Amino acid sequence: MNLPGKSMIENAAARVRSVFGPTPQYAWPLLSARIGTEVWVKHENHTPIGAFKIRGGLAYMDSVEADTVIAATRGNHGQSIAMAAGLAGKRTVIAVPECNSREKNAAMKAFGAELVVHGEDFQDAYDYVRERAARDEFHLVPSFHELLVAGVATYSVEFLSAVPDLDVVYVPIGLGSGICGAVTAREMLGKTTEIVGVVAEQAPAYALSFLARHPVSTNSAETIADGVACRQVDPAALEVILTHVTRVVTVSEAEIRNAMRWYFMDTHNVVEGAGAAPLAALMKEREAAKGKTVGIVASGGNVDTDVFCRVLAAGEES
């Protein structure tokens, strides 16, 4: 895959700015003290859908001529497409797996999406929308595409411009638009910042593929971090990751839950599992991070209330 060019990112940024302004980045003192180095958080949990995906949806939807769009999601991509399509006056059909977040489902409906529940996981839902798109002549919005990458790259442009001396940035990997957007922004701005990907140990397809240097699928992807719960990688995204990403770190369920607690304790932000995974990875590598200026992406804050309450109530896990 060729990385999106500067003009494409600038067009995406203009479309994003027409809906909302730059999200903040803060160096929270308690979080930096916990890690033992200067840590900056990019708060993509502060967008109109509570996640970074809206940037890609806005950039993508301007290219769609069809009246109806369809997509598969675990939640944030679906909210993005539903909101962007609604602004464009289009009908939206979204497929989610049976185990999906109740509150993300409700949010997608609130943005106007027609929700279809299908299958056990994201891949089952995606197979459904591919068949339905062909049958009903709907426009299928993929979870990874050059325009989506250009859109989400805008948060990394903001981050790397606002904190120009970042030595390393930890980014969660779902299907790859966020981390490929980070690579795109770094290359466009001429930075030398290391980019590190993060996945859940229970959804390790990208970590396994990074080690093998070719796509590796898994049989399941069961994790509290539903935003990274994929069992198949996108080959184009993997190509970018293999070329431009320093490493891919895996984090356990306990480490993700701890990071969700730390975010709330140290910053009073609610951050979902996928968004907390970069903090979990940084904690895992904190000795190597000492003396560096580190960025972590809080990619979203959409976690069901009952799940978050259980995480907070459980206390820190070893």
Side-chain angles (χ1 to χ4, degrees):
M1 170 189 162
N2 293 323
L3 297 177
K6 183 178 180 180
S7 62
M8 186 179 289
I9 297 172
E10 289 174 343
N11 289 339
R15 181 67 184 108
V16 170
R17 284 196 300 271
S18 73
V19 178
F20 65 98
T23 55
Q25 48 279 314
Y26 299 125
W28 297 94
L30 288 174
L31 206 56
S32 293
R34 182 183 295 277
I35 300 298
T37 197
E38 183 178 350
V39 179
W40 287 82
V41 180
K42 180 60 170 171
H43 281 287
E44 288 297 283
N45 57 322
H46 291 186
T47 75
I49 68 164
F52 77 103
K53 290 282 189 178
I54 183 56
R55 298 171 181 269
L58 291 169
Y60 185 93
M61 204 55 61
D62 283 349
S63 70
V64 178
E65 296 181 357
D67 294 328
T68 301
V69 298
I70 188 169
T73 188
R74 288 300 305 266
N76 290 335
H77 178 61
Q79 288 185 68
S80 167
I81 299 308
M83 180 180 178
L87 291 173
K90 300 180 185 300
R91 175 190 175 202
T92 311
V93 179
I94 300 292
V96 299
E98 295 166 0
C99 60
N100 210 52
S101 156
R102 294 190 305 275
E103 292 176 25
K104 286 182 179 178
N105 288 353
M108 285 183 276
K109 290 180 180 179
F111 280 118
E114 299 172 27
L115 207 67
V116 177
V117 179
H118 181 88
E120 295 183 358
D121 60 17
F122 169 80
Q123 196 61 44
D124 288 342
Y126 188 67
D127 291 342
Y128 166 83
V129 300
R130 285 193 300 181
E131 294 172 4
R132 177 108 185 251
R135 184 181 74 237
D136 296 343
E137 297 184 346
F138 295 163
H139 180 93
L140 173 58
V141 183
S143 295
F144 185 83
H145 186 277
E146 184 181 27
L147 286 170
L148 296 175
V149 173
V152 301
T154 60
Y155 84 67
S156 288
V157 171
E158 293 171 8
F159 199 14
L160 294 174
S161 299
V163 193
D165 59 347
L166 286 173
D167 294 304
V168 57
V169 176
Y170 289 78
V171 185
I173 308 176
L175 272 181
S177 64
I179 196 161
C180 290
V183 167
T184 298
R186 181 190 66 185
E187 298 302 299
M188 188 188 85
L189 296 173
K191 300 288 186 179
T192 59
T193 307
E194 283 188 289
I195 296 173
V196 177
V198 185
V199 300
E201 284 182 358
Q202 293 188 191
Y206 271 98
L208 296 173
S209 300
F210 188 84
L211 291 174
R213 314 304 287 182
H214 61 77
V216 176
S217 299
T218 61
N219 293 324
S220 65
E222 295 296 326
T223 171
I224 192 173
D226 53 7
V228 299
C230 66
R231 53 184 171 90
Q232 294 184 16
V233 305
D234 185 282
L238 180 61
E239 179 186 352
V240 173
I241 291 167
L242 291 176
T243 304
H244 296 283
V245 171
T246 303
R247 61 189 174 279
V248 177
V249 180
T250 59
V251 289
S252 70
E253 297 300 291
E255 288 168 335
I256 293 169
R257 291 190 294 266
N258 282 339
M260 293 169 72
R261 294 184 197 97
W262 298 332
Y263 262 122
F264 192 73
M265 293 167 62
D266 295 351
T267 78
H268 285 174
N269 271 262
V270 175
V271 180
E272 64 186 272
L279 173 56
L282 174 57
M283 176 59 81
K284 198 169 185 176
E285 299 190 340
R286 64 188 180 278
E287 290 301 318
K290 286 184 177 179
K292 296 181 179 179
T293 303
V294 183
I296 51 178
V297 180
S299 58
N302 298 321
V303 55
D304 280 0
T305 303
D306 59 341
V307 173
F308 193 60
C309 286
R310 288 197 297 271
V311 168
L312 292 183
E316 189 162 328
E317 303 170 63
S318 58

